Amino acid sequence: MSNITVAGTGYVGLVTGVCLAEVGHQVTCVDNNDEKIYLLRQGISPIYEPGLDELIVKNTENGKLDFTTDYQSVYAHSDVIFIGVGTPENEDGSANLNYVFTVAKEIAESVEQDCLVVVKSTVPIGTNDRVEAYIKAHLKHNVKIEVASNPEFLAQGTAVRDTLYASRIVIGTESDEAKQILMDVYEPFKLPILAMNRRSAEMVKYASNDFLALKISFINDIANLCEKVGANIEDVTNGMSYDERIGNRFLNPGIGYGGSCFPKDTKALHWLAEEEGYILRTVKAAIDVNEKQKYALIKKARNDFPTFNEKKVAVLGLTFKPGTDDLREAPSIPNIRLLLNEGARIQAFDPVGIENYKKLFPDQISYKHSIEEALEDAELCFIFTEWPEIKEMDLGLFKEKMKTPYIYDGRNCFSLYEIQNKGVNYHSIGRPSVIEYGVLDEVQA
Ligand code: UDX
């Protein structure tokens, strides 16, 4: 088994390192953040990811996994070094490669034996070529270095499963030797391995993410039209999904995609295409639709509330999706900012996202630890994330707890059937509204 180092202990780096140890490799994870390494050495994951802590503890105890900030000594004697650091978005939409090149420089200055450097971070097409040239230009020792591309396809909340049981492993190499090393690294996973050149591998990652983002924006576009023409998006997607060419996944309408990948990767590929003199019209459309979709709920609420000033607003769900405490590009953020700017008084519930939200909005929001408390006395309620706790809540609570039960559900958490006869006004995405508040009381009187 190879002696592997992974640079970066964020979602990509840490999950990769832990899973490589789990299948039997000797792995050291490196990060320049002392606090993260301190936590990891005690078996505590700095990110919320189901199943990860257990694997960290197990593989640390059996000696397969180690964590350090001392990159020099581990890079010096690694057979394979994975780069799994972040590539955040620049102001102009392009990918920021600072972290990747910082690691590349540290590798160049530290390696003392031949080594394969594997770029796992999502990077623009051609970056692997640049990283290889950069490392070669900065090498301190006379060693042979090659760079390979190996994009990851993990989703937050299911990252461990997505890595151990991935649909495919994509490797992009420019030599048979590099290809063989990566084939050996991935052999214990027993998964389909697709080998290609570096630029194609880099493109597979962007094309996959952008296709999924486009699928979501497409269905949001259709959902908006359904509302206008009296169709129900649930029936429409169900009808579409029986066609195997379309399938039923990533067809859930909502208030747009967030997270650390789709927003940034759509913009990065669009930016890169423009640089090449080509306009990626479909990807541009996905970005535009998503920008607008974030405000689909507020638009509906404005029909009922001309101003949110002094309104008590319940918010259920803050994270960009369930199963994570990550808030990057969470649609709740621009919506809450807008509500606060208009003078709304917000009481918010989220099962795991509150601590991180407090870093963004320390005092402006009243954080609640239960759905009941968040709904107490509220005049309207927004649902931004489809946490199981929210999907399975007692629907009688809306009428019982709220002052006026106006509900705007950005994730279609409840079926129209179950929300009926609950005495609420309920608006969701792409489906007819249920208007019962006041009306039902009159009927029953
Ligand atoms: C995504 C990809 O799924 C993963 O393969 C890639 O490696 C990284 O980006 P992630 O960002 O963790 O993973 O979450 P994902 O589950 O894909 O959801 C992204 C966003 O799309 C979320 O905001 C989610 O709410 C939204 N979404 C997803 C929809 O609005 N509708 C859907 O049908 C699916």
Side-chain angles (χ1 to χ4, degrees):
M1 289 291 160
S2 310
N3 196 5
I4 295 176
T5 300
V6 182
T9 58
Y11 282 96
V12 173
L14 183 58
V15 175
T16 301
V18 171
C19 291
L20 285 168
E22 174 68 9
V23 300
H25 293 293
Q26 194 64 45
V27 181
T28 307
C29 293
V30 177
D31 204 294
N32 58 9
N33 184 323
D34 293 311
E35 203 187 318
K36 275 186 170 184
I37 296 299
Y38 175 76
L39 285 175
L40 284 163
R41 287 195 140 168
Q42 297 181 69
I44 302 167
S45 166
I47 53 169
Y48 175 84
E49 193 58 50
L52 193 56
D53 293 75
E54 291 87 325
L55 291 189
I56 291 172
V57 171
K58 177 182 156 195
N59 288 289
T60 311
E61 280 175 2
N62 69 18
K64 289 280 166 207
L65 186 61
D66 195 10
F67 301 95
T68 184
T69 50
D70 176 16
Y71 65 83
Q72 271 152 328
S73 33
V74 281
Y75 290 162
H77 305 291
S78 297
D79 301 314
V80 183
I81 302 173
F82 282 87
I83 302 181
V85 293
T87 52
E89 189 182 318
N90 281 323
E91 280 287 307
D92 61 0
S94 62
N96 181 332
L97 299 174
N98 282 354
Y99 298 120
V100 172
F101 278 94
T102 301
V103 172
K105 187 147 191 277
E106 291 168 351
I107 292 172
E109 291 171 352
S110 311
V111 280
E112 292 178 20
Q113 65 169 64
D114 294 354
C115 153
L116 180 68
V117 175
V118 185
V119 179
K120 227 180 197 325
S121 310
T122 301
V123 292
I125 292 87
T127 303
N128 276 262
D129 297 357
R130 288 174 54 206
V131 170
E132 185 171 281
Y134 186 86
I135 294 179
K136 284 182 173 166
H138 290 83
L139 279 176
K140 285 262 158 70
H141 292 86
N142 185 18
V143 293
K144 199 171 150 238
I145 294 291
E146 195 168 337
V147 171
S149 166
N150 171 221
E152 52 72 32
F153 302 97
L154 58 87
Q156 288 173 224
T158 52
V160 172
R161 193 184 65 206
D162 292 346
T163 306
L164 288 175
Y165 309 103
S167 50
R168 75 293 203 193
I169 305 289
V170 171
I171 57 177
T173 54
E174 300 298 321
S175 78
D176 287 342
E177 209 182 329
K179 178 175 155 188
Q180 196 52 52
I181 293 173
L182 268 179
M183 298 279 258
D184 291 344
V185 166
Y186 280 108
E187 196 279 329
F189 285 82
K190 309 284 177 222
L191 295 166
I193 299 180
L194 311 174
M196 56 194 77
N197 70 20
R198 287 196 298 227
R199 286 175 181 243
S200 305
E202 290 170 324
M203 184 60 107
V204 170
K205 171 68 188 183
Y206 277 107
S208 301
N209 270 359
D210 290 13
F211 181 77
L212 292 171
L214 182 55
K215 204 171 173 189
I216 297 168
S217 274
F218 173 79
I219 214 62
N220 282 334
D221 228 5
I222 297 292
N224 296 340
L225 185 59
C226 282
E227 289 175 14
K228 295 197 180 298
V229 300
N232 180 332
I233 191 67
E234 234 157 49
D235 296 329
V236 174
T237 50
N238 190 32
M240 289 164 69
S241 68
Y242 275 72
D243 185 330
E244 284 177 6
R245 294 169 302 177
I246 298 172
N248 63 4
R249 302 193 60 195
F250 278 70
L251 279 184
N252 296 324
I255 41 164
Y257 56 75
S260 63
C261 291
F262 291 167
K264 119 178 135 57
D265 293 348
T266 42
K267 286 182 211 151
L269 194 64
H270 179 257
W271 187 90
L272 184 142
E274 251 185 353
E275 284 287 288
E276 298 292 330
Y278 186 78
I279 304 295
L280 268 177
R281 288 184 179 76
T282 47
V283 174
K284 177 79 170 66
I287 297 168
D288 292 344
V289 168
N290 201 57
E291 277 308 309
K292 267 199 123 169
Q293 196 66 16
K294 282 183 204 164
Y295 301 105
L297 278 191
I298 289 268
K299 232 174 120 189
K300 289 175 199 282
R302 280 208 193 286
N303 291 332
D304 301 319
F305 298 89
T307 169
F308 301 118
N309 191 26
E310 289 298 316
K311 293 280 172 239
K312 210 177 224 190
V313 179
V315 167
L316 304 184
L318 298 168
T319 53
F320 82 91
K321 70 169 192 178
T324 178
D325 63 352
D326 200 328
L327 301 175
R328 282 177 285 181
E329 301 280 340
S332 70
I333 295 172
N335 279 291
I336 283 187
R337 206 161 267 149
L338 205 147
L339 289 163
L340 287 172
N341 283 345
E342 277 195 30
R345 288 177 294 146
I346 295 180
Q347 32 198 52
F349 163 79
D350 189 285
V352 304
I354 287 180
E355 285 315 306
N356 281 345
Y357 227 77
K358 279 184 183 163
K359 294 176 198 156
L360 298 176
F361 300 96
D363 321 307
Q364 306 92 316
I365 296 173
S366 170
Y367 295 100
K368 304 290 181 191
H369 292 284
S370 72
I371 293 175
E372 285 90 333
E373 287 173 274
L375 294 179
E376 191 72 53
D377 228 17
E379 288 151 278
L380 61 159
C381 169
F382 288 102
I383 301 176
F384 293 131
T385 321
E386 70 279 31
W387 282 99
E389 290 86 336
I390 298 169
K391 288 175 82 170
E392 288 153 20
M393 67 178 270
D394 170 6
L395 297 182
L397 285 175
F398 288 122
K399 180 138 190 267
E400 197 184 305
K401 297 281 172 194
M402 292 176 73
K403 190 169 168 197
T404 53
Y406 284 84
I407 299 143
Y408 307 91
D409 179 359
R411 298 293 180 190
N412 291 2
C413 288
F414 319 118
S415 78
L416 292 182
Y417 176 75
E418 54 181 350
I419 198 78
Q420 268 164 23
N421 299 319
K422 297 290 185 291
V424 301
N425 284 359
Y426 176 76
H427 303 273
S428 53
I429 307 288
R431 308 185 299 178
S433 295
V434 174
I435 307 293
E436 290 181 346
Y437 171 59
V439 180
L440 205 65
D441 300 324
E442 277 165 33
V443 174
Q444 281 167 352

